[in-house]
Amino acid sequence: MVKLQPPQAAFNAALQFQQQHPQGSLSWQLEDHNIRFAEVGCDCWIKVGSVPDASLIVEPLGQVERMIVASPKLLEAYGSPQSPAALEELPGVALEPFEGGQIPLTHPKGETVAISPSIRMSTNNIFALRQATLAGLGLSVMPRWFIEDDLKNQRLIDLLPEWRAPKLTINVASLPGRHQPRRLRSFLKSLRTAVPKIPGVE
């Protein structure tokens, strides 16, 4: 069993793994909260961000590029911002926890700023965040891998391509032990190959 958060960061890898190992079965569970392995009986947990459990073996698989995006509908109403300061003139939607109400941004030259848009909606679900952003409710911080198709089809606009929110690490966590099941070793090997190929993952 695999616990995944958020779900599609490694979904293609899981599908490919299942196709390569048709004799096995894969239980794909989606969770928005911390995982207790003893309670759910899973083999591994894939999470974007830190894993708050020091008893687990944690392996980083890649880093997620994040950007400020908005829908054309929102930009029609508010105009296109040309600087980080101008972003604060647009409403925002936020993924909880939204610490301090600020979004830190970094320029390739090393300059950093923090913006504080007026948050119109907050949610703990990235799917709801995307839908609210697409609907024009506000700008949001989104990972490239999750909205690559929206960017290509201009359903969402990368507002300031030279400014980026802090990257997050994709981690896979598993229980410590003298040996791992062969199914888990094979799955982890597949993840190590597939996750770095996801657009927006380094």
Side-chain angles (χ1 to χ4, degrees):
M1 180 186 293
V2 179
K3 289 285 183 176
L4 188 62
Q5 178 189 25
Q8 291 182 335
F11 187 62
N12 289 339
L15 292 179
Q16 183 180 8
F17 177 81
Q18 186 67 48
Q19 292 166 349
Q20 293 173 349
H21 301 82
Q23 74 281 5
S25 62
L26 182 68
S27 178
W28 191 263
Q29 304 293 324
L30 309 182
E31 301 286 351
D32 286 329
H33 54 76
N34 294 337
I35 304 300
R36 293 185 180 275
F37 277 62
E39 294 178 3
V40 299
C42 63
D43 289 315
C44 67
W45 174 21
I46 303 166
K47 184 177 185 296
V48 175
S50 61
V51 176
D53 189 336
S55 69
L56 300 177
I57 298 173
V58 179
E59 177 184 348
L61 298 174
Q63 294 226 305
V64 176
E65 178 188 5
R66 298 194 302 157
M67 61 192 69
I68 303 285
V69 298
S71 69
K73 180 179 179 179
L74 186 76
L75 300 183
E76 288 176 6
Y78 288 89
S80 298
Q82 302 300 313
S83 68
L87 292 172
E88 295 188 337
E89 299 175 9
L90 280 66
V93 291
L95 189 65
E96 297 176 345
F98 185 48
E99 297 180 4
Q102 292 188 331
I103 302 172
L105 297 174
T106 302
H107 191 275
K109 294 182 178 180
E111 183 181 357
T112 60
V113 298
I115 63 168
S116 301
S118 175
I119 301 302
R120 184 177 287 179
M121 171 187 168
S122 63
T123 176
N124 67 348
N125 185 286
I126 196 170
F127 290 98
L129 182 71
R130 174 179 172 271
Q131 288 302 116
T133 309
L134 287 169
L137 204 60
L139 60 77
S140 66
V141 179
M142 297 289 286
R144 177 182 287 278
W145 63 262
F146 192 68
I147 56 167
E148 182 70 10
D149 190 60
D150 295 321
L151 294 170
K152 288 180 179 178
N153 291 284
Q154 297 188 322
R155 292 188 292 265
L156 291 175
I157 307 300
D158 182 0
L159 296 182
L160 296 176
E162 293 189 343
W163 292 88
R164 288 292 180 257
K167 295 177 182 177
L168 295 177
T169 301
I170 301 177
N171 289 301
V172 59
S174 57
L175 288 170
R178 287 183 298 176
H179 67 276
Q180 296 176 330
R182 187 172 67 177
R183 65 179 182 272
L184 178 57
R185 294 198 306 270
S186 297
F187 184 65
L188 294 178
K189 181 179 179 180
S190 179
L191 285 179
R192 294 183 191 109
T193 300
V195 169
K197 296 179 181 178
I198 298 172
V201 175
E202 301 175 358

